[in-house]
Amino acid sequence: MSATLEFRAETRAWLEENCPAGARGPGPIHSGSTKIPLTDRDTILWKERMVEKGWTAPTWPAEYGGGGLSHEEYMVLISEMRAIRARSPLGGMGLSLIGPTLIELGTEDQKARHIPRIVRGEVAWCQGYSEPSSGSDLASLRTRAEDAGDHFVINGQKIWTSGAQYADWMFALVRTDPDVPKHVGISFVLLTMDQPGVTVKPIRLISGESPFCETFFDNAIAQKADLVGELNQGWTVGKRLLQFERGSMATLVGGAAAADAGPSLAGDAKKYSGEENGRIADASLRQRIATHEINDRAFRLTQRRTAQEAADGKTPGPATSIFKMYGTELEQSRAQLLVEMRGSLGVGWSGDGFSPREIGETRGFLAGRAASIYSGSNEIQRNIIAKRVLGLPD
């Protein structure tokens, strides 16, 4: 038996024995936040077992608590988790964004202090990038960080800070030299959210939820030991983190498979619009669903190919530039189909006439409209692809 087949057999047996029934299929995924207590017994048990195995971050170095798996082993783990519909034991920006950045660019002290806590699910992170007047032109940010000896004093504001109300730490871009070209005088710092100088105000959206926040800094503190990279060279660090974000967008963040979201589009279409001879009755809807599923499958295969290239030591290619843009459009397309096929049941906000899932997907459709704006609008993404990838003139 080859090493890969042996690893697959061992992984399959371990997952079958250790993944609780309540951790299979849709359900809660812990973000690591100390402000969101875990109450579901199976979710807690699943996280604890995967932490002990190192599989909350399966490809990270074992010295920091990761699994130390090769890319081939990682893909085996993913496929075996999908086979039993095991969901991720842990999620969040610690695993997908700041963790990989620190492993690559952080000091040994930063890695030792932050990485094990991320792996163990003991901390949640948020991203301090966008500002009220610095969204698409991020380099124009104005939040200041002044040198105060062994720490920086930070004043300013960030906006659209996802999950800031639940985060324990923030990674942020701040201006440390206002007298140089805008891309040069920026530094990348880490700071705790639980300090007097940080105020968070959730922003209520049309969906009724508040996943984004305004974050205000009034003499907040970031320690010099938590400066990532060189002073005034944070733009380079910030861009590298965004590459991790693009690479992980809509993928298996943290090394664990996302459980199936529920019935397929085709199954829902048959339920709500009827079927004929085992097929969706509405020919137009049938064609749109088929097109969506084909596009989604091609997208996932492209992501897998890019992940393999990265594992082989190659620099991420131009395909990563489409992940956020195209992935967002696919999700919006799916949400649109779900709402449309339900007819009047697709516009339910509340009430006994609608199931919890119908209400959730209506609200999800509304929330998803913002996805083509945040994390870099799709228009900006197209400009980047045109100029940086295709080399088209301005």
Side-chain angles (χ1 to χ4, degrees):
M1 180 184 292
S2 71
T4 299
L5 289 176
E6 184 176 352
F7 178 77
R8 182 179 292 277
E10 292 173 354
T11 299
R12 181 177 299 169
W14 188 90
L15 289 172
E16 191 58 51
E17 180 180 353
N18 289 277
C19 183
R24 306 186 188 199
I29 298 176
H30 189 45
S31 67
S33 173
T34 60
K35 303 172 185 178
I36 306 176
L38 277 177
T39 58
D40 182 77
R41 184 184 63 83
D42 280 357
T43 299
I44 295 171
L45 183 60
W46 180 226
K47 181 182 78 72
E48 290 175 347
R49 288 175 175 174
M50 289 290 271
V51 167
E52 184 178 0
K53 191 75 170 175
W55 285 357
T56 53
T59 61
W60 290 10
E63 62 187 289
Y64 303 119
L69 299 187
S70 68
H71 177 75
E72 188 173 19
E73 292 170 331
Y74 167 68
M75 297 311 295
V76 168
L77 173 61
I78 293 302
S79 67
E80 292 302 321
M81 288 182 68
R82 279 180 167 165
I84 63 171
R85 301 182 73 238
R87 63 178 179 271
S88 298
L90 190 63
M93 295 184 184
L95 286 170
S96 62
L97 300 181
I98 189 60
T101 304
L102 289 178
I103 288 174
E104 182 175 307
L105 301 174
T107 64
E108 286 305 314
D109 170 69
Q110 290 167 351
K111 295 175 188 178
R113 286 189 293 114
H114 295 295
I115 299 300
R117 294 189 66 207
I118 293 172
V119 173
R120 293 193 299 264
E122 297 175 349
V123 59
W125 290 78
C126 63
Q127 181 179 45
Y129 273 27
S130 295
E131 298 184 6
S133 58
S134 302
S136 298
D137 183 15
L138 178 58
S140 67
L141 62 89
R142 294 184 293 181
T143 294
R144 293 283 297 273
E146 298 181 353
D147 194 323
D150 63 349
H151 65 275
F152 296 103
V153 178
I154 303 174
N155 286 279
Q157 178 188 359
K158 297 293 181 178
I159 198 167
W160 309 120
T161 320
S162 301
Q165 70 271 52
Y166 305 119
D168 304 291
W169 279 75
M170 171 187 282
F171 52 91
L173 291 174
V174 294
R175 188 158 302 284
T176 44
D177 189 344
D179 300 320
V180 295
K182 61 183 182 180
H183 289 85
V184 180
I186 293 173
S187 295
F188 190 106
V189 298
L190 315 176
L191 66 149
T192 179
M193 297 293 285
D194 297 321
Q195 58 172 297
V198 178
T199 301
V200 176
K201 296 183 178 180
I203 301 170
R204 187 174 176 84
L205 303 183
I206 190 174
S207 63
E209 299 180 347
S210 299
F212 308 119
C213 303
E214 295 177 283
T215 307
F216 300 89
F217 307 104
D218 183 13
N219 293 327
I221 301 299
Q223 299 297 327
K224 284 283 185 67
D226 283 318
L227 170 68
V228 182
E230 297 181 17
L231 183 68
N232 296 325
Q233 299 301 311
W235 188 248
T236 299
V237 181
K239 287 194 300 180
R240 184 65 182 121
L241 181 139
L242 288 177
Q243 285 184 307
F244 287 119
E245 180 182 44
R246 296 295 178 260
S248 67
M249 192 71 67
T251 61
L252 306 168
V253 171
D260 295 338
S264 66
L265 282 174
D268 274 351
K270 292 175 182 178
K271 173 183 175 182
Y272 287 97
S273 65
E275 62 178 299
E276 294 178 358
N277 300 320
R279 301 193 305 171
I280 299 168
D282 186 319
S284 175
L285 179 60
R286 185 168 65 240
Q287 179 63 47
R288 290 173 62 197
I289 289 176
T291 299
H292 173 85
E293 297 291 352
I294 291 169
N295 290 340
D296 184 70
R297 179 62 175 162
F299 181 59
R300 305 298 169 187
L301 289 171
T302 301
Q303 288 181 310
R304 182 166 183 150
R305 172 172 55 82
T306 303
Q308 180 63 60
E309 291 172 351
D312 293 339
K314 299 178 182 178
T315 301
T320 58
S321 299
I322 72 168
F323 284 173
K324 195 275 177 180
M325 179 193 73
Y326 196 72
T328 293
E329 292 178 349
L330 277 173
E331 289 304 311
Q332 290 179 338
S333 167
R334 188 178 193 279
Q336 181 81 35
L337 285 166
L338 283 169
V339 169
E340 287 186 11
M341 70 176 63
R342 283 166 166 70
S344 61
L345 294 176
V347 294
W349 183 261
S350 62
D352 295 336
F354 307 97
S355 71
R357 185 178 173 219
E358 288 163 351
I359 292 172
E361 289 178 346
T362 297
R363 297 190 180 197
F365 163 77
L366 292 171
R369 309 319 295 169
S372 51
I373 300 174
Y374 62 63
S375 297
S377 72
N378 281 17
E379 288 78 9
I380 293 297
Q381 297 302 315
R382 285 187 170 86
N383 282 339
I384 293 172
I385 293 169
K387 295 177 181 179
R388 303 292 176 85
V389 178
L390 301 177
L392 299 179
D394 291 338

